[in-house]
Amino acid sequence: MSCKSKKENQTAGRPRVQGPIVADGFRVAKSSISEKIEVPGSLLPFEETQLRAEVGGRIVALNINEGSIVQKGTLLVKLFDQDLQAQLKKLQVQLKIKEKTEERNRELVKINGISQQDYDLAALDVENLKADIESTQIAISKTEIRAPYTGKVGLRNVSLGSYIAPTDIVTTIRQVDQLKLEFSVPEKYAKDLQKGYTVSFKIDAGGGQSHKATVLATESSVDQNTRTLKIRAVVNERHAELVPGVFAKVNLQLGQNSNALLVPTQAIIPTAREKQVILLRRDSVVFTPVETGIRDSAYVQIINGLKPGDTVITSGLMAIRPNSKVKVTKVSTL
């Protein structure tokens, strides 16, 4: 009994020798990464115009077939203009008389039959009548509503014989052979979306088919309230589910970087002030602060703190302390 107790006491007094911690590692190398985000958007007609009359008047001709496609320049509405037409005829008759008078005076002034001043007054009368005729023709054109471009006419709000004022909306015309896609992105991606960038989107109530749009323009500045940048893209394809006004889900791949340094997500140790990784140095480790960037489901981009070829620890992180001895049994890479 005494011999056994003596051996136990000798064993308890000796320091226990601990071996290195076994862990897995990951070798840092350059790779390609981009961040996928989904933002809401809306489809808009490429052009949309509310048609109104420039002057008030009574409708004497109505050529609006609701829902039909009309060509540019098609006469849609004609207002009463008989008073203007009569005035135009009167001016045209007066112009013919004045032109004949001007021709006679031109011949007379050549033979000194009249003074140059009399001829100038006759020529002035001709020019004044031409200006009056042009003004009357402009007034007549204001009694007509024509299609400003080729597009689809909506529902009309007037009837034949009704009186309309310049504030009344007659109908709406939309250019539907092309559509616009409007959406907004967070301000940190403002530099990534330039003219010509291609985006994909799906209609929320559609069949799940993906469509393409090309960025047409961006807003000149970021919205200070939402901290987002408004983007407008053009949709050239035609599909039954692409209807102006519908909600769209826009999928974007932003922040593309072909030389990014990536580490597994589990290698990052968050602290109160910074983020760290455990960097392998021969058979010991160093806790190194890092700056992270784009993150996906498996990897995190390291912007600052690591270089290609470094090995970081990915397992057993809770057991490792600074300057601990670590034995790496498996090193993985991308």
Side-chain angles (χ1 to χ4, degrees):
M1 293 290 292
S2 62
C3 291
K4 183 177 180 181
S5 176
K6 184 177 180 181
K7 289 181 180 180
E8 290 178 353
N9 292 337
Q10 290 177 353
T11 304
R14 296 175 184 174
R16 182 174 296 176
V17 178
Q18 295 182 353
I21 300 173
V22 178
D24 296 334
F26 179 86
R27 184 170 289 110
V28 180
K30 293 182 179 181
S31 182
S32 178
I33 191 174
S34 62
E35 187 171 6
K36 296 180 180 180
I37 64 172
E38 183 179 278
V39 296
S42 297
L43 281 181
L44 305 173
F46 195 80
E47 296 290 349
E48 181 176 5
T49 306
Q50 293 179 338
L51 298 182
R52 293 181 171 92
E54 293 189 58
V55 296
R58 177 170 54 88
I59 298 177
V60 296
L62 190 60
N63 185 30
I64 298 178
N65 295 322
E66 297 172 322
S68 63
I69 302 295
V70 296
Q71 299 298 316
K72 180 180 179 180
T74 302
L75 179 63
L76 302 177
V77 178
K78 178 63 178 177
L79 303 181
F80 179 82
D81 68 344
Q82 291 185 9
D83 53 341
L84 295 174
Q85 293 289 353
Q87 182 178 352
L88 178 61
K89 290 180 180 180
K90 178 182 177 181
L91 293 173
Q92 289 173 341
V93 171
Q94 292 177 354
L95 178 61
K96 290 180 180 180
I97 297 174
K98 292 296 183 180
E99 286 178 340
K100 291 181 180 179
T101 303
E102 188 266 341
E103 291 176 1
R104 288 195 296 266
N105 289 347
R106 187 187 305 122
E107 298 298 328
L108 290 173
V109 77
K110 290 180 181 179
I111 59 175
N112 296 325
I114 58 173
S115 64
Q116 182 66 38
Q117 182 179 3
D118 292 337
Y119 170 75
D120 292 340
L121 290 175
L124 180 61
D125 289 340
V126 172
E127 295 301 322
N128 286 336
L129 282 173
K130 288 182 178 179
D132 291 340
I133 289 174
E134 184 178 358
S135 177
T136 305
Q137 289 173 338
I138 293 174
I140 292 173
S141 67
K142 290 183 179 181
T143 64
E144 300 174 348
I145 301 178
R146 296 182 178 272
Y149 45 79
T150 300
K152 187 176 183 179
V153 177
L155 303 179
R156 60 181 173 89
N157 303 315
V158 296
S159 299
L160 185 64
S162 60
Y163 182 90
I164 59 174
T167 55
D168 296 331
I169 299 175
V170 176
T171 188
T172 302
I173 185 172
R174 298 176 178 89
Q175 186 177 348
V176 293
D177 56 343
Q178 287 183 320
L179 295 175
K180 290 179 181 177
L181 176 65
E182 191 171 281
F183 59 95
S184 298
V185 297
E187 60 181 352
K188 68 176 181 178
Y189 302 118
K191 65 180 184 301
D192 296 328
L193 288 174
Q194 303 295 332
K195 183 177 180 180
Y197 186 92
T198 301
V199 301
S200 63
F201 67 96
K202 295 181 180 179
I203 302 302
D204 189 32
Q209 181 177 348
S210 180
H211 306 280
K212 300 293 183 181
T214 305
V215 173
L216 181 65
T218 64
E219 192 59 83
S220 58
S221 62
V222 172
D223 191 308
Q224 296 184 358
N225 296 321
T226 61
R227 312 310 306 179
T228 58
L229 180 69
K230 183 179 289 187
I231 311 293
R232 186 167 291 174
V234 57
V235 182
N236 290 317
E237 62 178 293
R238 294 185 181 182
H239 195 276
E241 68 181 18
L242 299 180
V243 180
V246 300
F247 178 81
K249 294 180 180 179
V250 185
N251 298 306
L252 303 170
Q253 285 191 339
L254 302 175
Q256 182 72 33
N257 189 345
S258 300
N259 295 315
L261 299 180
L262 303 181
V263 298
T265 305
Q266 65 269 22
I268 303 296
I269 303 175
T271 63
R273 295 184 178 180
E274 59 188 5
K275 297 176 182 178
Q276 296 179 341
V277 297
I278 301 177
L279 188 61
L280 182 65
R281 289 282 187 250
R282 294 185 179 179
D283 60 345
S284 63
V285 294
V286 177
F287 283 73
T288 303
V290 294
E291 182 181 352
T292 60
I294 298 174
R295 178 190 296 264
D296 59 18
S297 59
Y299 296 96
V300 180
Q301 178 189 9
I302 302 299
I303 299 176
N304 191 16
L306 295 178
K307 63 182 183 296
D310 288 342
T311 300
V312 297
I313 305 302
T314 58
S315 66
L317 303 182
M318 300 299 296
I320 298 176
R321 298 292 180 267
N323 299 320
S324 296
K325 298 297 182 180
V326 176
K327 180 180 179 181
V328 177
T329 57
K330 182 177 67 173
V331 177
S332 59
T333 59
L334 276 176

